[in-house]
Amino acid sequence: MKKILVAYDSRTGKTETMAEYVAEGIRISGHQAELKRITAIKTEKDLQGYDVYIFGSPTYHRDMIGTMKTFLFLVQKAKLEGKAGGAFGSYTHSGDAPQLIFDTMENVFKMDMVNLGSFNLREQLVDTTEGLRACQAYGKAMGEKLGQ
């Protein structure tokens, strides 16, 4: 059983809901998911002890939100090179944040990103059955890629 950190921030609650659903999918796949708002992670030591890191942010003005940018500077200090990762987020228009986070994790932090790519979901779909299933499917697929 792998220990997976799902770290996120949310402006309207939609990305938080996504994080909860992604964590459910991880648990369905037989792994342990720990859900944390990024503002609760204060030092790079708070990032130690996980096998996989999944980060989530809404897209705001075609970018990730400011707290996620600050958080990623902290993540860089944690030296997660080679660790598995993924990214997700909600959006209303462009949906750019998850891919920006994914690319940072892959190219700057040199993490081993899952071949699922980043996952984003239009805000209006988050609270629907379709949204729930899509988020759980991402978490479950992430867990299945890791094996037991």
Side-chain angles (χ1 to χ4, degrees), residues 4-62:
I4 301 171
L5 175 64
V6 180
Y8 69 93
D9 207 355
S10 188
R11 295 186 74 237
T12 64
K14 300 296 184 181
T15 304
E16 180 174 21
T17 299
M18 285 182 74
E20 292 166 358
Y21 294 160
V22 168
E24 284 177 12
I26 291 165
R27 292 181 191 113
I28 289 168
S29 75
H31 297 288
Q32 179 183 350
E34 190 166 330
L35 199 58
K36 286 188 180 182
R37 195 168 202 117
I38 60 174
T39 53
I41 300 170
K42 303 296 183 190
T43 71
E44 59 270 17
K45 290 179 183 172
D46 295 335
L47 291 166
Q48 301 305 313
Y50 298 96
D51 300 297
V52 182
Y53 299 83
I54 305 173
F55 300 150
S57 170
T59 297
Y60 187 66
H61 294 295
R62 302 188 73 106

Side-chain angles (χ1 to χ4, degrees), residues 18-127:
M18 285 182 74
E20 292 166 358
Y21 294 160
V22 168
E24 284 177 12
I26 291 165
R27 292 181 191 113
I28 289 168
S29 75
H31 297 288
Q32 179 183 350
E34 190 166 330
L35 199 58
K36 286 188 180 182
R37 195 168 202 117
I38 60 174
T39 53
I41 300 170
K42 303 296 183 190
T43 71
E44 59 270 17
K45 290 179 183 172
D46 295 335
L47 291 166
Q48 301 305 313
Y50 298 96
D51 300 297
V52 182
Y53 299 83
I54 305 173
F55 300 150
S57 170
T59 297
Y60 187 66
H61 294 295
R62 302 188 73 106
D63 202 354
M64 66 188 91
I65 57 177
T67 52
M68 180 55 75
K69 288 181 181 182
T70 301
F71 173 69
L72 291 177
F73 284 113
L74 175 67
V75 172
Q76 190 169 17
K77 293 179 187 177
K79 299 186 183 350
L80 301 180
E81 184 173 327
K83 292 284 188 173
F88 68 94
S90 61
Y91 71 99
T92 55
H93 298 89
S94 67
D96 298 327
Q99 189 63 52
L100 292 169
I101 296 165
F102 190 95
D103 290 346
T104 300
M105 294 169 80
E106 182 174 44
N107 299 310
V108 178
F109 304 159
K110 305 296 184 206
M111 294 177 72
D112 181 18
M113 302 305 286
V114 295
N115 61 1
L116 299 170
S118 62
F119 170 65
N120 61 21
L121 187 63
R122 199 173 207 41
E123 277 193 2
Q124 66 194 35
L125 296 175
V126 171
D127 293 321

